[in-house]
Amino acid sequence: MALTKQFVKSKSLYKVTFTVPAEAAVEVKKVALVGEFNGWNPEEAIALKKQKDGSFKTSLELASGEYQFRYILDDEKWENDWEADKYVAAGVDATAENSVVVL
């Protein structure tokens, strides 16, 4: 998984691209993104578009700050980004963590 960040001067925002690589999405039909930017609401999850190489990708424009997030694979499995800037306790149980992107 990967995060790419690009500052857009004209908007004073960051364009963040969230990518789930093909090897992390073997036999996965659907990938969605949830986090602090959409209230952790799975019903408002942001769909990632499947690419020709089998990866899934989407981009968001976000203001400076830190945002916790996770991916939902096939509406069931919650997955962290393997290359997140850091991880924080999710508060769900002792071992659960959320991915964090720092802008």
Side-chain angles (χ1 to χ4, degrees), residues 2-56:
L3 298 169
T4 55
K5 307 171 224 176
Q6 178 182 5
F7 185 68
V8 181
K9 286 184 182 180
S10 62
K11 296 182 179 182
S12 295
L13 296 170
Y14 287 88
K15 179 182 178 185
V16 182
T17 301
F18 297 84
T19 304
V20 175
E23 61 267 20
V26 175
E27 297 185 25
V28 170
K29 305 281 187 245
K30 180 177 163 185
V31 177
L33 175 67
V34 293
E36 292 180 314
F37 36 76
N38 65 357
W40 291 101
N41 185 346
E43 293 180 12
E44 293 183 22
I46 299 156
L48 279 72
K49 184 176 180 183
K50 189 166 188 173
Q51 307 297 302
K52 290 181 181 180
D53 65 2
S55 66
F56 289 81

